[in-house]
Amino acid sequence: PLQYIIGEQAFFGRSFAVRPGVLIPRPETEILVEQTLRHAGRLWPDTAALDVLDIGTGSGAIALTLAAERPRWRVTTVDLSPTALAIARENAQRLQVEYRVRFLEGDLAQPLLAAGEQVDLLVSNPPYIPSDEVERLEEEVNRFEPRLALDGGADGLVCYRRICAVLPRLIRPTALVAFEVGIHQAGAVRQLLLASGAVERTEIVPDLAGIERVVLGWRKSN
């Protein structure tokens, strides 16, 4: 991919280092960031110092953009890949947000659950391609981008199930959850969010091609 050759990719008006070992940030993921900022503005004042978790951070495009856009937010990133975390740290230095971002190596939310921590806002663009479809992706994707960041299990929903299952332990009484999803997955992910009992309302947002791309769930304490 050209982005690996030149070593960078633009995302949300900023330049991110990308190399083999991280997914190349896509334009549709900017919608996830936009909607996260929009809905957070409805739940909390702009001056709120929120604890934010990005699961499966990759290059750090989502987490570091949120940190740059909202300087009062405390951002934690988690990734299973040490290579990805190294690149995300590099990008944090590039954007000068490294002192407000914590990098944890681990499996989905497990590092925070083990520490008994909770967050106000959870955002994730997890692997969501069904396993048997990964090999059918265009060649520059399936040959060069990390399978760890693509393969979402038999139906593509494994990570969503695991994250939603622990939401009651992970998020605070007022909280926002924001996911990017694959084609035809939005309805199923919305149901997982509602079934968790951790959110009260949901919204599905399409991308510019009309594909339902972002699923949000939230609750607000009285």
Side-chain angles (χ1 to χ4, degrees):
L2 178 62
Q3 293 90 338
Y4 287 164
I5 295 171
I6 64 176
E8 62 182 36
Q9 168 72 356
F11 182 85
F12 219 83
R14 299 177 176 89
S15 176
F16 285 80
V18 292
R19 296 190 293 276
V22 296
L23 199 68
I24 297 165
R26 267 63 169 182
E28 54 264 33
T29 304
E30 293 185 351
I31 299 170
L32 175 63
V33 173
E34 290 171 353
Q35 292 298 319
T36 297
L37 293 170
R38 174 172 168 260
H39 281 265
R42 292 176 170 179
L43 290 171
W44 298 279
D46 290 341
T47 56
L50 303 182
D51 289 309
V52 179
L53 172 62
D54 175 31
I55 294 179
T57 199
S59 67
I62 297 169
L64 303 181
T65 298
L66 293 175
E69 292 287 325
R70 296 291 184 270
R72 292 180 60 84
W73 290 5
R74 298 178 293 263
V75 179
T76 297
T77 70
V78 179
D79 205 290
L80 198 56
S81 165
T83 300
L85 287 172
I87 295 171
R89 285 192 179 96
E90 178 182 328
N91 281 319
Q93 293 172 351
R94 177 186 285 225
L95 299 182
Q96 300 182 330
V97 297
E98 68 270 27
Y99 299 110
R100 291 188 291 105
V101 181
R102 178 174 58 158
F103 299 88
L104 302 178
E105 183 178 339
D107 186 13
L108 300 179
Q110 289 307 310
L112 272 76
L113 293 172
E117 296 183 23
Q118 291 186 317
V119 297
D120 304 291
L121 195 161
L122 185 153
V123 61
S124 184
N125 177 20
Y128 57 65
I129 307 297
S131 300
D132 63 358
E133 293 182 16
V134 174
E135 297 302 327
R136 297 199 294 271
L137 296 172
E138 56 191 46
E139 185 178 8
E140 71 173 30
V141 175
N142 69 35
R143 282 191 58 195
F144 296 99
E145 296 194 70
R147 187 174 185 118
L148 183 64
L150 297 168
D151 191 337
D155 62 358
L157 300 175
V158 168
C159 291
Y160 301 107
R161 286 195 189 92
R162 291 183 58 200
I163 294 170
C164 288
V166 299
L167 285 178
R169 297 163 53 197
L170 190 59
I171 62 175
R172 292 181 176 143
T174 295
L176 173 66
V177 180
F179 289 129
E180 180 175 326
V181 300
I183 190 168
H184 305 314
Q185 293 178 336
V189 172
R190 168 187 262 171
Q191 289 305 311
L192 288 170
L193 275 170
L194 291 171
S196 75
V199 303
E200 298 166 347
R201 299 183 60 189
T202 61
E203 182 177 337
I204 294 174
V205 180
D207 62 19
L208 296 178
I211 296 169
E212 294 180 332
R213 183 63 65 183
V214 172
V215 181
L216 303 115
W218 64 93
R219 68 183 184 191
K220 187 171 179 63
S221 62
N222 295 327

